[in-house]
Amino acid sequence: MKKYKIAAIPGDGIGKEVVPAGQQALEAVAAAVGGYQFEFEVFGWGGDWYRQHGQMMPADGLQALKGADAILFGSAGDPDIPDHITLWGLRLKICQGFDQYANVRPTRILPGIDGPLKRCRAQDLDWVIVRENSEGEYAGVGGRAHQGHPIEVATDVSVMTRVGVERIIRYAFRLAQSRPRRQLTVVTKSNAQRHAMVMWDEVAQEVARDFPDVHWDKELVDAMTARMVNRPATIDTVVATNLHADILSDLAAALAGSLGIAPTGNIDPERRYPSMFEPIHGSAFDIMGKGLANPVGTFWSCVMLLDHLGEQASAQRLMRAIERVTQDTSLHTRDLGGTATTAAVTAALCRFVAEA
Ligand code: IPM
Ligand code: MG
């Protein structure tokens, strides 16, 4: 029987609660569909590992992940460790080490979820945001000098390469082409950022020629926030830089009803390395260890993982079960205004997967 090796990295905070829930969901779907199995290897990296070893993951950690078919990630973040250390020491180390340059963030208003927009019907909001995930504002280039002195200087340099821009825009056009509306919005800020963002626009123009069947338009990032709120139905697939898409995807998740639902895939489209799937919510210390975390973001991330593995029937089955969960308000967790626990939601989901 086909066996998929999944590296599970719960990480910190509620990651430790939602990743095991995701594993259960994947087991349930494999049992229901049949023909393949999952083999999980769990890595206890993150804040606790840092306290013991002085780093978020072992120096040769990427080597241990390399043979996996996919990675299921929880979150990185710890109240006692600076955020830039937890982020760069684990999640970005994997994203950048494995050149997972396409970060894909679908957003929909799922059945039973009451979004905050008055005039937005569920069918008006069906977006995928493609985030450049390897460079730009997160390139890590910059420095500090004269720390603590009045002449202190600090820079974070956004780095855009033609190769990096072209590959993400091409990926986004291809994704847009695969969706029914074949529509792409390229988000930019080339009015103010007159070098890299101008190149970004030029590359979009060039790549667009290879996709004559995709309607595309360009939107400045600030105007995009207003368009997402006021005219959600005019949007389908979106591509944006690392930081722009980081911000837009939080807005998207909020407009769809909760950050607890939103999934993401950090994809290496060339499949040289394993891709990594994770809920976009963080480690949420305020509720950790209480069994209150919403596992739906992780379940949806598992749908993306299954899709990536080529198990489309399983992906669809899991998505149908997720929609049954969200439809039932007694299965809503606290972020959705309900009182359901992570365990109750997970048990119901596994039941729906078996029935579907
Ligand atoms: C995300 C998160 C991260 C990011 C944080 C945790 C640094 O907000 O995945 O969107 O900004 O990339
Ligand atoms: Mg974010």
Side-chain angles (χ1 to χ4, degrees):
M1 182 148 30
K2 209 177 342 169
K3 213 173 235 176
Y4 292 116
K5 278 201 209 164
I6 308 295
I9 308 176
D12 303 320
I14 61 170
K16 291 179 186 154
E17 296 163 64
V18 294
V19 164
Q23 289 177 241
Q24 283 183 53
L26 288 173
E27 297 276 22
V29 91
V33 173
Y36 67 91
Q37 278 178 338
F38 286 111
E39 186 183 297
F40 292 100
E41 190 173 353
V42 181
F43 295 88
W45 303 337
D48 296 338
W49 187 277
Y50 183 90
R51 269 180 284 277
Q52 281 174 27
H53 302 95
Q55 47 190 359
M56 292 289 287
M57 67 188 270
D60 59 355
L62 290 183
Q63 213 50 42
L65 299 177
K66 220 171 169 173
D69 292 299
I71 303 166
L72 181 62
F73 189 83
S75 79
D78 189 289
D80 302 325
I81 309 170
D83 285 339
H84 64 276
I85 290 180
T86 53
L87 179 70
W88 281 92
L90 187 57
R91 190 169 152 270
L92 284 186
K93 196 166 163 168
I94 298 170
C95 289
Q96 300 200 347
F98 286 164
D99 201 18
Q100 296 163 340
Y101 65 82
N103 183 251
V104 180
R105 302 188 160 189
T107 314
R108 279 199 290 130
I109 301 180
L110 297 184
I113 304 293
D114 193 19
L117 288 179
K118 266 196 312 228
R119 287 184 302 273
C120 178
R121 299 162 304 171
Q123 66 266 33
D124 294 337
L125 202 164
D126 183 355
W127 305 335
V128 185
I129 298 178
V130 176
R131 170 179 180 182
E132 201 296 314
N133 211 32
S134 66
E135 53 175 28
E137 308 88 344
Y138 284 57
V141 173
R144 279 174 83 172
H146 312 300
Q147 278 196 42
H149 293 278
I151 56 161
E152 180 167 357
V153 55
T155 59
D156 274 299
V157 181
S158 171
V159 175
M160 307 251 178
T161 63
R162 179 170 277 273
V163 168
V165 172
E166 200 200 316
R167 65 185 185 174
I168 196 65
I169 289 187
R170 195 168 286 284
Y171 181 89
F173 266 101
R174 232 180 261 128
L175 181 65
Q177 196 176 41
S178 75
R179 288 169 52 87
R181 289 173 64 191
R182 297 192 183 171
Q183 191 198 317
L184 177 68
T185 301
V186 177
V187 172
T188 185
K189 192 63 195 175
S190 50
N191 54 349
Q193 295 178 298
R194 58 190 180 158
H195 307 295
M197 291 314 296
V198 174
M199 179 179 80
W200 170 273
D201 291 0
E202 286 168 11
V203 169
Q205 193 100 41
E206 288 163 25
V207 172
R209 286 191 210 117
D210 295 337
F211 297 87
D213 56 339
V214 175
H215 312 281
W216 75 286
D217 62 359
K218 212 165 75 177
E219 192 74 79
L220 295 170
V221 64
D222 46 349
M224 189 66 181
T225 60
R227 178 167 161 192
M228 285 166 71
V229 171
N230 294 326
R231 293 181 295 132
T234 67
I235 300 166
D236 186 78
T237 309
V238 176
V239 64
T241 70
N242 214 328
L243 181 63
H244 290 168
D246 174 40
I247 298 164
L248 295 180
S249 61
D250 263 32
L251 175 58
L255 295 177
S258 171
L259 218 60
I261 289 176
T264 184
N266 300 281
I267 312 278
D268 166 24
E270 277 81 46
R271 295 173 184 265
R272 298 155 297 173
Y273 302 101
S275 293
M276 178 160 76
F277 301 85
E278 54 171 345
I280 86 164
H281 63 66
S283 30
F285 305 116
D286 49 326
I287 59 162
M288 75 176 176
K290 296 183 180 155
L292 298 175
N294 190 347
V296 170
T298 303
F299 297 151
W300 196 347
S301 303
C302 291
V303 172
M304 298 181 75
L305 183 154
L306 288 163
D307 247 326
H308 186 76
L309 294 178
E311 297 295 344
Q312 267 71 36
S314 298
Q316 283 160 18
R317 191 180 186 113
L318 182 53
M319 197 66 219
R320 280 198 304 274
I322 290 171
E323 294 187 353
R324 278 185 70 185
V325 163
T326 57
Q327 200 144 36
D328 181 347
T329 49
S330 78
L331 292 172
H332 284 191
T333 42
R334 200 167 79 171
D335 53 305
L336 295 171
T339 55
T341 61
T342 314
V345 177
T346 306
L349 177 101
C350 292
R351 211 166 50 238
F352 295 153
V353 164
E355 284 169 20

